[in-house]
Coordinates of all heavy atoms in Angstrom, one line a residue:
M241 N 51.9 2.9 6.8 CA 51.1 3.8 6.0 C 49.6 3.5 6.4 O 49.2 2.4 6.6 CB 51.3 3.5 4.5 CG 50.5 4.4 3.6 SD 50.8 4.1 1.9 CE 49.2 3.9 1.3
T242 N 48.9 4.6 6.4 CA 47.5 4.5 6.8 C 46.6 5.2 5.7 O 47.1 6.1 5.0 CB 47.2 5.2 8.1 OG1 45.8 5.1 8.4 CG2 47.6 6.7 8.2
L243 N 45.4 4.7 5.5 CA 44.5 5.3 4.5 C 43.6 6.3 5.2 O 42.9 7.1 4.5 CB 43.6 4.2 3.9 CG 44.4 3.2 3.1 CD1 43.4 2.1 2.6 CD2 45.1 3.8 1.9
C244 N 43.7 6.4 6.5 CA 42.8 7.4 7.3 C 43.5 8.7 7.3 O 44.6 8.9 7.8 CB 42.7 6.9 8.7 SG 41.7 8.0 9.7
L245 N 42.8 9.7 6.6 CA 43.4 11.0 6.5 C 43.5 11.7 7.9 O 44.5 12.4 8.2 CB 42.5 11.9 5.6 CG 43.0 13.3 5.3 CD1 44.3 13.3 4.6 CD2 41.9 14.1 4.5
F246 N 42.5 11.5 8.8 CA 42.6 12.0 10.1 C 43.8 11.5 10.9 O 44.6 12.3 11.5 CB 41.3 11.7 10.9 CG 41.2 12.3 12.3 CD1 40.7 13.5 12.4 CD2 41.6 11.6 13.4 CE1 40.6 14.1 13.7 CE2 41.5 12.1 14.6 CZ 41.0 13.4 14.8
K247 N 44.1 10.2 10.8 CA 45.2 9.6 11.5 C 46.5 10.1 10.8 O 47.5 10.3 11.5 CB 45.1 8.1 11.5 CG 46.2 7.5 12.3 CD 46.0 6.0 12.4 CE 47.2 5.4 13.1 NZ 47.1 3.9 13.2
A248 N 46.5 10.2 9.5 CA 47.7 10.7 8.8 C 48.1 12.1 9.2 O 49.3 12.4 9.4 CB 47.5 10.6 7.3
I249 N 47.1 12.9 9.5 CA 47.4 14.3 9.8 C 47.7 14.5 11.3 O 48.7 15.1 11.7 CB 46.2 15.2 9.4 CG1 46.1 15.3 7.9 CG2 46.4 16.6 10.0 CD1 44.9 16.0 7.4
T250 N 46.9 13.8 12.2 CA 47.0 14.0 13.6 C 47.8 13.0 14.3 O 48.3 13.2 15.4 CB 45.6 14.1 14.3 OG1 45.0 12.8 14.2 CG2 44.7 15.1 13.7
G251 N 47.9 11.8 13.7 CA 48.6 10.7 14.4 C 47.7 10.0 15.4 O 48.2 9.0 16.0
V252 N 46.5 10.4 15.5 CA 45.5 9.7 16.4 C 44.5 9.1 15.6 O 44.0 9.6 14.6 CB 44.9 10.8 17.3 CG1 43.8 10.2 18.2 CG2 45.9 11.5 18.1
P253 N 44.1 7.8 15.9 CA 43.0 7.2 15.1 C 41.7 8.0 15.2 O 41.4 8.6 16.2 CB 42.8 5.8 15.8 CG 44.1 5.6 16.6 CD 44.6 7.0 16.9
C254 N 41.0 8.0 14.1 CA 39.7 8.7 14.0 C 38.6 8.0 14.7 O 38.8 6.8 15.0 CB 39.4 9.0 12.6 SG 38.8 7.6 11.6
P255 N 37.4 8.6 14.9 CA 36.3 7.9 15.5 C 35.8 6.7 14.8 O 35.3 5.7 15.3 CB 35.2 8.9 15.6 CG 35.9 10.2 15.6 CD 37.1 10.0 14.7
G256 N 36.1 6.6 13.5 CA 35.6 5.5 12.7 C 36.7 4.4 12.4 O 36.5 3.5 11.7
C257 N 37.9 4.6 13.0 CA 39.0 3.7 12.7 C 38.5 2.3 13.2 O 38.0 2.1 14.3 CB 40.3 4.1 13.4 SG 41.3 5.2 12.5
G258 N 38.7 1.3 12.4 CA 38.2 0.0 12.6 C 36.9 -0.4 12.0 O 36.5 -1.5 12.0
M259 N 36.2 0.6 11.6 CA 34.8 0.4 11.0 C 34.9 -0.5 9.8 O 34.0 -1.4 9.6 CB 34.2 1.8 10.7 CG 32.7 1.7 10.4 SD 31.6 1.3 11.8 CE 31.6 2.9 12.7
M260 N 35.8 -0.2 8.9 CA 35.9 -1.0 7.6 C 36.2 -2.4 8.0 O 35.6 -3.4 7.4 CB 36.9 -0.4 6.7 CG 37.0 -1.2 5.4 SD 35.5 -1.4 4.4 CE 35.3 0.3 3.8
R261 N 37.2 -2.6 8.9 CA 37.5 -4.0 9.3 C 36.4 -4.7 10.0 O 36.2 -5.9 9.8 CB 38.8 -4.0 10.2 CG 40.0 -3.7 9.4 CD 41.2 -3.6 10.3 NE 41.1 -2.2 10.8 CZ 42.1 -1.6 11.5 NH1 43.2 -2.3 11.7 NH2 41.9 -0.4 11.9
A262 N 35.6 -3.9 10.7 CA 34.4 -4.5 11.3 C 33.4 -5.0 10.3 O 32.8 -6.1 10.4 CB 33.8 -3.5 12.3
H263 N 33.2 -4.2 9.3 CA 32.2 -4.6 8.2 C 32.7 -5.8 7.4 O 32.0 -6.6 7.0 CB 31.9 -3.4 7.3 CG 30.9 -2.4 8.0 ND1 31.4 -1.3 8.5 CD2 29.6 -2.5 8.2 CE1 30.3 -0.6 9.1 NE2 29.3 -1.4 8.9
L264 N 34.0 -5.8 7.2 CA 34.6 -7.0 6.5 C 34.5 -8.2 7.3 O 34.2 -9.3 6.8 CB 36.1 -6.7 6.2 CG 36.3 -5.7 5.1 CD1 37.8 -5.4 4.9 CD2 35.7 -6.1 3.8
A265 N 34.7 -8.1 8.6 CA 34.5 -9.3 9.5 C 33.0 -9.7 9.5 O 32.7 -10.9 9.5 CB 34.9 -8.9 10.9
L266 N 32.1 -8.8 9.5 CA 30.7 -9.1 9.5 C 30.3 -9.8 8.1 O 29.5 -10.7 8.1 CB 29.8 -7.8 9.7 CG 28.3 -8.0 9.8 CD1 28.0 -8.8 11.1 CD2 27.6 -6.7 9.8
A267 N 30.9 -9.3 7.1 CA 30.7 -9.9 5.7 C 31.1 -11.4 5.7 O 30.6 -12.2 5.0 CB 31.4 -9.1 4.6
R268 N 32.1 -11.7 6.5 CA 32.6 -13.1 6.7 C 31.8 -13.9 7.7 O 32.0 -15.0 7.9 CB 34.1 -13.1 7.1 CG 35.0 -12.7 6.0 CD 36.4 -12.9 6.4 NE 36.8 -12.2 7.6 CZ 37.4 -10.9 7.6 NH1 37.6 -10.3 6.4 NH2 37.7 -10.4 8.7
G269 N 30.8 -13.2 8.3 CA 29.9 -13.9 9.2 C 30.5 -13.9 10.7 O 30.0 -14.6 11.5
D270 N 31.5 -13.1 11.0 CA 32.1 -13.1 12.3 C 31.7 -11.8 13.0 O 32.4 -10.8 13.1 CB 33.6 -13.2 12.1 CG 34.3 -13.5 13.4 OD1 33.7 -13.5 14.5 OD2 35.6 -13.7 13.4
A271 N 30.5 -11.8 13.7 CA 30.0 -10.7 14.4 C 30.8 -10.4 15.6 O 31.0 -9.2 16.0 CB 28.6 -10.9 14.8
R272 N 31.4 -11.4 16.2 CA 32.2 -11.1 17.4 C 33.5 -10.3 17.1 O 33.9 -9.4 17.8 CB 32.6 -12.5 18.1 CG 33.5 -12.3 19.2 CD 33.9 -13.7 19.8 NE 33.4 -13.8 21.1 CZ 33.6 -14.8 21.9 NH1 34.2 -15.9 21.4 NH2 33.2 -14.8 23.1
R273 N 34.1 -10.7 15.9 CA 35.3 -10.0 15.5 C 34.9 -8.6 15.0 O 35.7 -7.6 15.2 CB 35.9 -10.7 14.3 CG 37.3 -10.3 14.0 CD 38.2 -10.8 15.0 NE 39.6 -10.5 14.6 CZ 40.6 -10.4 15.4 NH1 40.4 -10.5 16.7 NH2 41.8 -10.1 15.0
A274 N 33.7 -8.4 14.5 CA 33.2 -7.1 14.1 C 33.1 -6.2 15.3 O 33.5 -5.0 15.3 CB 31.9 -7.2 13.3
L275 N 32.6 -6.7 16.4 CA 32.5 -5.9 17.6 C 33.9 -5.6 18.2 O 34.1 -4.6 18.8 CB 31.7 -6.7 18.7 CG 30.2 -6.6 18.5 CD1 29.5 -7.6 19.5 CD2 29.7 -5.2 18.7
H276 N 34.8 -6.5 18.0 CA 36.2 -6.2 18.4 C 36.8 -5.0 17.7 O 37.4 -4.2 18.3 CB 37.0 -7.5 18.1 CG 38.5 -7.2 18.2 ND1 39.1 -7.2 19.5 CD2 39.5 -7.0 17.3 CE1 40.4 -7.0 19.3 NE2 40.6 -6.8 18.0
W277 N 36.6 -4.9 16.4 CA 37.2 -3.9 15.6 C 36.5 -2.5 15.9 O 37.1 -1.5 15.9 CB 37.2 -4.2 14.1 CG 38.2 -5.2 13.8 CD1 38.0 -6.4 13.3 CD2 39.6 -5.0 13.9 NE1 39.2 -7.1 13.1 CE2 40.2 -6.2 13.5 CE3 40.4 -4.0 14.3 CZ2 41.6 -6.4 13.5 CZ3 41.8 -4.2 14.3 CH2 42.4 -5.4 13.9
H278 N 35.1 -2.5 16.0 CA 34.4 -1.3 16.3 C 33.0 -1.7 16.8 O 32.2 -2.3 16.1 CB 34.3 -0.4 15.0 CG 34.0 1.0 15.4 ND1 32.9 1.5 16.0 CD2 34.8 2.1 15.3 CE1 33.0 2.8 16.2 NE2 34.2 3.2 15.8
P279 N 32.8 -1.3 18.1 CA 31.5 -1.7 18.7 C 30.3 -1.0 18.1 O 29.1 -1.5 18.3 CB 31.7 -1.2 20.2 CG 32.7 -0.2 20.1 CD 33.6 -0.5 19.0
L280 N 30.4 0.0 17.3 CA 29.3 0.7 16.7 C 29.2 0.4 15.2 O 28.7 1.2 14.4 CB 29.4 2.2 16.9 CG 29.3 2.6 18.4 CD1 29.5 4.1 18.5 CD2 28.0 2.2 19.0
F281 N 29.7 -0.7 14.7 CA 29.7 -1.0 13.3 C 28.3 -1.1 12.7 O 28.1 -0.8 11.6 CB 30.4 -2.4 13.0 CG 29.6 -3.6 13.5 CD1 28.7 -4.2 12.6 CD2 29.8 -4.1 14.7 CE1 28.1 -5.3 13.0 CE2 29.1 -5.2 15.1 CZ 28.2 -5.8 14.3
W282 N 27.3 -1.3 13.6 CA 25.9 -1.4 13.1 C 25.2 -0.1 13.0 O 24.2 0.1 12.3 CB 25.1 -2.2 14.1 CG 25.3 -1.8 15.5 CD1 26.3 -2.2 16.4 CD2 24.6 -0.7 16.2 NE1 26.2 -1.5 17.6 CE2 25.2 -0.6 17.5 CE3 23.5 0.1 15.9 CZ2 24.7 0.4 18.4 CZ3 23.1 1.0 16.8 CH2 23.7 1.1 18.0
L283 N 25.8 1.0 13.5 CA 25.1 2.3 13.5 C 24.9 2.9 12.1 O 23.8 3.4 11.9 CB 25.9 3.3 14.4 CG 25.3 4.6 14.8 CD1 24.0 4.3 15.5 CD2 26.2 5.4 15.6
P284 N 25.9 2.8 11.2 CA 25.6 3.3 9.9 C 24.4 2.6 9.2 O 23.7 3.2 8.4 CB 26.9 3.1 9.1 CG 27.9 3.0 10.1 CD 27.3 2.4 11.3
W285 N 24.2 1.3 9.4 CA 23.1 0.6 8.8 C 21.8 1.0 9.4 O 20.8 1.1 8.7 CB 23.3 -0.9 9.0 CG 24.6 -1.4 8.3 CD1 25.8 -1.7 8.8 CD2 24.7 -1.5 6.9 NE1 26.7 -2.0 7.9 CE2 26.1 -1.9 6.6 CE3 23.9 -1.2 5.8 CZ2 26.6 -2.1 5.4 CZ3 24.4 -1.4 4.5 CH2 25.7 -1.8 4.3
V286 N 21.7 1.3 10.7 CA 20.5 1.8 11.3 C 20.2 3.2 10.8 O 19.0 3.5 10.4 CB 20.6 1.8 12.8 CG1 19.5 2.5 13.5 CG2 20.8 0.4 13.4
A287 N 21.2 4.0 10.6 CA 21.0 5.4 10.1 C 20.5 5.3 8.7 O 19.6 6.1 8.3 CB 22.3 6.2 10.2
L288 N 21.1 4.4 7.9 CA 20.7 4.3 6.5 C 19.2 3.8 6.4 O 18.4 4.3 5.6 CB 21.6 3.4 5.8 CG 21.4 3.2 4.3 CD1 21.6 4.6 3.6 CD2 22.3 2.2 3.7
G289 N 18.9 2.8 7.2 CA 17.5 2.3 7.2 C 16.5 3.4 7.7 O 15.4 3.5 7.1
T290 N 16.9 4.2 8.7 CA 16.0 5.2 9.2 C 15.8 6.3 8.1 O 14.7 6.8 7.9 CB 16.6 5.9 10.4 OG1 16.8 4.8 11.4 CG2 15.7 6.9 11.0
Y291 N 16.9 6.7 7.4 CA 16.8 7.6 6.3 C 15.9 7.1 5.2 O 15.1 7.9 4.7 CB 18.2 7.9 5.8 CG 18.2 8.9 4.6 CD1 18.0 10.2 4.8 CD2 18.4 8.4 3.3 CE1 18.0 11.1 3.7 CE2 18.4 9.2 2.2 CZ 18.2 10.6 2.4 OH 18.1 11.4 1.4
A292 N 16.1 5.9 4.9 CA 15.2 5.3 3.8 C 13.8 5.3 4.2 O 12.9 5.6 3.4 CB 15.7 3.9 3.4
A293 N 13.5 5.0 5.4 CA 12.1 4.9 5.9 C 11.5 6.3 5.9 O 10.3 6.5 5.6 CB 12.0 4.3 7.3
T294 N 12.3 7.3 6.3 CA 11.9 8.7 6.3 C 11.5 9.2 4.9 O 10.5 9.8 4.7 CB 12.9 9.6 6.9 OG1 13.2 9.2 8.2 CG2 12.5 11.0 7.0
R295 N 12.4 8.8 3.9 CA 12.2 9.2 2.6 C 10.9 8.6 2.0 O 10.3 9.2 1.1 CB 13.4 8.9 1.7 CG 14.6 9.6 2.1 CD 14.6 11.1 1.9 NE 14.6 11.4 0.5 CZ 14.3 12.5 0.0 NH1 14.0 13.5 0.8 NH2 14.3 12.7 -1.3
R296 N 10.6 7.4 2.4 CA 9.4 6.7 1.9 C 8.1 7.2 2.7 O 7.0 6.7 2.4 CB 9.6 5.2 2.1 CG 10.6 4.7 1.2 CD 10.6 3.2 1.2 NE 11.7 2.7 0.3 CZ 12.5 1.7 0.6 NH1 12.4 1.1 1.8 NH2 13.4 1.4 -0.2
G297 N 8.3 8.0 3.7 CA 7.1 8.5 4.4 C 6.7 7.7 5.6 O 5.7 8.1 6.3
R298 N 7.4 6.7 5.9 CA 7.0 5.8 7.0 C 7.3 6.5 8.4 O 6.7 6.2 9.3 CB 7.7 4.5 6.9 CG 7.3 3.7 5.8 CD 7.9 2.3 5.8 NE 7.5 1.6 4.6 CZ 8.2 0.7 4.0 NH1 9.4 0.5 4.4 NH2 7.8 0.1 2.9
L299 N 8.3 7.3 8.4 CA 8.7 8.0 9.6 C 8.4 9.5 9.5 O 9.1 10.3 10.1 CB 10.1 7.7 10.0 CG 10.4 6.3 10.4 CD1 11.9 6.1 10.6 CD2 9.7 5.8 11.6
R300 N 7.5 9.9 8.7 CA 7.3 11.3 8.4 C 7.0 12.1 9.7 O 7.4 13.2 9.9 CB 6.2 11.5 7.4 CG 6.0 12.9 6.9 CD 7.2 13.6 6.3 NE 7.5 12.8 5.1 CZ 8.7 12.9 4.5 NH1 9.6 13.7 5.0 NH2 9.0 12.2 3.4
R301 N 6.1 11.6 10.5 CA 5.8 12.3 11.8 C 7.0 12.5 12.7 O 7.1 13.5 13.2 CB 4.7 11.5 12.5 CG 4.1 12.2 13.7 CD 3.0 11.5 14.2 NE 2.5 12.2 15.4 CZ 1.7 11.7 16.3 NH1 1.3 10.4 16.2 NH2 1.3 12.4 17.3
A302 N 7.8 11.5 12.8 CA 9.0 11.6 13.6 C 10.0 12.7 13.0 O 10.6 13.4 13.7 CB 9.8 10.3 13.7
A303 N 10.0 12.7 11.7 CA 10.8 13.7 11.0 C 10.3 15.1 11.2 O 11.0 16.1 11.4 CB 10.9 13.5 9.5
D304 N 9.0 15.3 11.2 CA 8.3 16.6 11.4 C 8.5 17.1 12.9 O 8.6 18.3 13.1 CB 6.8 16.5 11.1 CG 6.6 16.3 9.6 OD1 7.5 16.5 8.8 OD2 5.5 15.9 9.3
T305 N 8.6 16.2 13.8 CA 8.7 16.6 15.2 C 10.1 16.9 15.6 O 10.4 17.3 16.7 CB 8.1 15.5 16.2 OG1 8.8 14.3 16.0 CG2 6.6 15.3 15.9
G306 N 11.1 16.5 14.8 CA 12.5 16.8 15.1 C 13.1 15.6 15.9 O 14.2 15.7 16.3
A307 N 12.3 14.5 16.0 CA 12.8 13.3 16.7 C 14.1 12.7 16.0 O 15.0 12.3 16.7 CB 11.7 12.3 16.9
L308 N 14.0 12.8 14.7 CA 15.2 12.2 14.0 C 16.4 13.1 14.1 O 17.5 12.6 14.2 CB 14.8 12.1 12.5 CG 13.8 11.0 12.2 CD1 13.5 10.9 10.7 CD2 14.3 9.6 12.7
R309 N 16.2 14.4 14.2 CA 17.4 15.3 14.5 C 18.0 15.0 15.8 O 19.2 14.9 16.0 CB 17.0 16.7 14.4 CG 18.1 17.7 14.6 CD 17.8 19.1 14.3 NE 17.7 19.3 12.9 CZ 16.7 20.0 12.3 NH1 15.9 20.6 13.0 NH2 16.7 20.1 11.0
L310 N 17.1 14.8 16.8 CA 17.6 14.4 18.2 C 18.3 13.1 18.1 O 19.4 12.9 18.8 CB 16.4 14.4 19.1 CG 16.8 14.0 20.6 CD1 17.7 15.1 21.2 CD2 15.5 13.9 21.4
L311 N 17.8 12.1 17.4 CA 18.4 10.8 17.3 C 19.8 10.9 16.6 O 20.7 10.3 17.0 CB 17.5 9.9 16.5 CG 18.0 8.4 16.4 CD1 18.0 7.8 17.7 CD2 17.0 7.7 15.5
G312 N 19.9 11.8 15.7 CA 21.2 12.0 15.0 C 22.2 12.6 15.9 O 23.3 12.1 15.9
W313 N 21.8 13.6 16.7 CA 22.8 14.2 17.6 C 23.1 13.2 18.7 O 24.3 13.1 19.2 CB 22.2 15.4 18.2 CG 22.3 16.6 17.3 CD1 21.2 17.2 16.7 CD2 23.4 17.3 16.9 NE1 21.7 18.2 15.9 CE2 23.0 18.3 16.0 CE3 24.8 17.1 17.2 CZ2 24.0 19.2 15.4 CZ3 25.7 18.0 16.6 CH2 25.3 19.0 15.7
A314 N 22.2 12.4 19.2 CA 22.5 11.4 20.2 C 23.4 10.3 19.7 O 24.4 9.9 20.4 CB 21.2 10.7 20.7
S315 N 23.2 9.9 18.4 CA 24.1 8.9 17.9 C 25.5 9.5 17.7 O 26.5 8.8 17.9 CB 23.6 8.3 16.5 OG 23.6 9.3 15.6
L316 N 25.6 10.7 17.3 CA 26.9 11.4 17.2 C 27.6 11.4 18.6 O 28.8 11.2 18.7 CB 26.8 12.8 16.7 CG 28.1 13.6 16.6 CD1 29.0 13.0 15.6 CD2 27.8 15.1 16.2
A317 N 26.9 11.8 19.6 CA 27.4 11.8 21.0 C 27.9 10.4 21.4 O 29.0 10.3 22.0 CB 26.4 12.4 22.0
V318 N 27.1 9.4 21.1 CA 27.5 8.1 21.5 C 28.8 7.7 20.8 O 29.7 7.1 21.3 CB 26.4 7.0 21.2 CG1 26.9 5.6 21.3 CG2 25.3 7.3 22.2
H319 N 28.9 8.0 19.5 CA 30.0 7.7 18.7 C 31.3 8.3 19.2 O 32.3 7.7 19.3 CB 29.8 8.1 17.2 CG 30.6 7.3 16.2 ND1 30.3 6.1 15.7 CD2 31.9 7.6 15.7 CE1 31.2 5.7 14.9 NE2 32.2 6.6 14.9
L320 N 31.2 9.6 19.5 CA 32.3 10.3 20.1 C 32.7 9.8 21.5 O 33.9 9.7 21.8 CB 32.0 11.8 20.2 CG 32.0 12.5 18.8 CD1 31.6 14.0 19.0 CD2 33.3 12.4 18.1
G321 N 31.7 9.4 22.3 CA 32.0 8.8 23.6 C 32.7 7.5 23.5 O 33.6 7.2 24.2
V322 N 32.3 6.7 22.6 CA 33.0 5.4 22.3 C 34.4 5.6 21.9 O 35.3 5.0 22.3 CB 32.2 4.5 21.4 CG1 33.0 3.3 20.9 CG2 30.9 4.0 22.0
W323 N 34.6 6.6 21.0 CA 35.9 6.9 20.5 C 36.8 7.4 21.6 O 38.0 6.9 21.7 CB 35.8 8.0 19.4 CG 37.1 8.5 18.9 CD1 38.1 7.8 18.3 CD2 37.6 9.9 18.8 NE1 39.1 8.6 17.9 CE2 38.8 9.9 18.2 CE3 37.0 11.1 19.2 CZ2 39.5 11.1 18.0 CZ3 37.7 12.2 19.0 CH2 39.0 12.2 18.3
I324 N 36.3 8.2 22.5 CA 37.1 8.7 23.6 C 37.5 7.6 24.6 O 38.6 7.4 25.0 CB 36.4 9.9 24.4 CG1 36.4 11.1 23.4 CG2 37.1 10.2 25.7 CD1 35.5 12.2 23.9
A325 N 36.5 6.7 24.8 CA 36.7 5.6 25.7 C 37.8 4.6 25.1 O 38.6 4.1 25.8 CB 35.4 4.8 26.0
R326 N 37.7 4.4 23.8 CA 38.6 3.5 23.1 C 40.0 4.1 23.2 O 41.0 3.3 23.4 CB 38.2 3.2 21.7 CG 36.9 2.4 21.6 CD 36.4 2.4 20.2 NE 37.2 1.3 19.5 CZ 37.3 1.2 18.2 NH1 36.8 2.1 17.4 NH2 38.0 0.3 17.6
L327 N 40.2 5.4 23.1 CA 41.5 6.0 23.2 C 42.0 6.0 24.6 O 43.2 5.7 24.8 CB 41.4 7.4 22.6 CG 41.2 7.6 21.2 CD1 41.1 9.1 20.8 CD2 42.4 7.0 20.4
R328 N 41.1 6.3 25.5 CA 41.5 6.4 26.9 C 41.9 5.0 27.5 O 42.9 4.9 28.2 CB 40.4 7.0 27.7 CG 40.5 7.0 29.2 CD 41.6 8.0 29.7 NE 41.7 8.0 31.1 CZ 42.5 7.4 31.8 NH1 43.4 6.6 31.3 NH2 42.5 7.5 33.1
F329 N 41.1 4.0 27.2 CA 41.4 2.7 27.8 C 42.1 1.8 26.9 O 42.2 0.6 27.3 CB 40.0 2.1 28.3 CG 39.4 3.0 29.4 CD1 38.2 3.6 29.1 CD2 39.9 3.2 30.6 CE1 37.6 4.5 30.0 CE2 39.3 4.0 31.6 CZ 38.2 4.6 31.2
R330 N 42.6 2.3 25.8 CA 43.3 1.4 24.8 C 42.6 0.1 24.5 O 43.1 -0.9 24.6 CB 44.7 1.1 25.4 CG 45.5 2.3 25.7 CD 46.4 2.5 24.6 NE 47.3 3.6 24.8 CZ 48.3 3.9 24.0 NH1 48.5 3.1 23.0 NH2 49.0 4.9 24.2
I331 N 41.4 0.3 24.1 CA 40.5 -0.9 23.8 C 40.9 -1.4 22.4 O 41.2 -0.6 21.5 CB 39.0 -0.5 23.8 CG1 38.7 -0.1 25.2 CG2 38.1 -1.6 23.3 CD1 37.3 0.5 25.4
P332 N 40.9 -2.7 22.2 CA 41.3 -3.3 20.9 C 40.5 -2.7 19.8 O 39.4 -2.3 19.9 CB 41.0 -4.8 21.1 CG 41.1 -5.0 22.5 CD 40.6 -3.7 23.2
G333 N 41.2 -2.6 18.7 CA 40.6 -2.0 17.5 C 41.2 -0.7 17.2 O 41.4 -0.3 16.1
V334 N 41.4 0.1 18.3 CA 42.1 1.3 18.2 C 43.5 1.2 18.8 O 44.5 1.6 18.3 CB 41.3 2.5 18.9 CG1 42.2 3.7 19.0 CG2 40.1 2.8 18.1
A335 N 43.5 0.5 20.0 CA 44.7 0.4 20.7 C 45.7 -0.5 20.0 O 46.9 -0.4 20.2 CB 44.5 -0.1 22.1
S336 N 45.2 -1.4 19.2 CA 46.1 -2.3 18.5 C 46.8 -1.7 17.4 O 47.8 -2.2 16.8 CB 45.3 -3.6 18.0 OG 44.3 -3.2 17.1
Q337 N 46.3 -0.5 17.0 CA 47.0 0.2 15.9 C 48.1 1.0 16.5 O 48.0 1.6 17.5 CB 46.0 1.1 15.2 CG 44.8 0.4 14.6 CD 43.8 1.4 14.1 OE1 44.0 2.6 13.9 NE2 42.6 0.8 13.8
R338 N 49.2 1.1 15.8 CA 50.4 1.8 16.3 C 50.1 3.3 16.1 O 49.9 3.7 14.9 CB 51.6 1.3 15.7 CG 51.8 -0.1 16.0 CD 53.2 -0.5 15.9 NE 53.9 0.3 16.9 CZ 54.9 -0.1 17.6 NH1 55.3 -1.3 17.4 NH2 55.5 0.7 18.5
W339 N 50.2 4.1 17.1 CA 50.1 5.6 17.0 C 50.8 6.2 18.1 O 51.5 6.5 18.6 CB 48.6 6.0 16.9 CG 47.8 5.6 18.0 CD1 47.2 4.3 18.1 CD2 47.3 6.3 19.2 NE1 46.5 4.2 19.3 CE2 46.5 5.4 19.9 CE3 47.6 7.6 19.6 CZ2 45.9 5.8 21.1 CZ3 47.0 7.9 20.8 CH2 46.2 7.1 21.5

């Protein structure tokens, strides 16, 4: 049984599969294991920090120029690229899950 709706419907792990286990490993202080489960486990924290800084006005100029929008699209592209690579090359974290 899986809690991932995407995997339950398609049978293929989603781009975020392994992210929760990565954060749990990081909470235990095991950054190496966190990277094993998902190499982009740090990306949501960077996005959250960037969002908070924008809301406080610290990155207002970047927000006005569209740089943050570009950064968002770039991070999405990287996330999808990592997902495809993990599926293609059966990298641990995705490949270790039965599907």
Side-chain angles (χ1 to χ4, degrees):
M241 184 177 123
T242 180
L243 296 176
C244 178
L245 184 61
F246 185 86
K247 185 176 178 183
I249 292 172
T250 65
V252 177
C254 74
C257 275
M259 192 72 77
M260 179 59 72
R261 284 174 281 196
H263 284 102
L264 291 173
L266 187 64
R268 289 188 299 268
D270 192 354
R272 178 182 240 181
R273 193 75 170 155
L275 280 171
H276 167 81
W277 285 115
H278 202 291
L280 298 177
F281 72 90
W282 50 270
L283 194 59
W285 296 106
V286 171
L288 186 63
T290 303
Y291 176 77
T294 302
R295 298 294 292 168
R296 290 187 182 137
R298 293 184 183 147
L299 295 176
R300 184 62 60 199
R301 186 171 180 200
D304 291 343
T305 62
L308 291 179
R309 181 173 287 141
L310 179 63
L311 184 63
W313 283 109
S315 66
L316 177 65
V318 167
H319 202 88
L320 290 176
V322 167
W323 177 54
I324 291 168
R326 292 173 81 202
L327 290 175
R328 171 71 176 97
F329 299 112
R330 300 261 182 171
I331 296 173
V334 169
S336 62
Q337 300 172 15
R338 299 207 62 144
W339 51 283

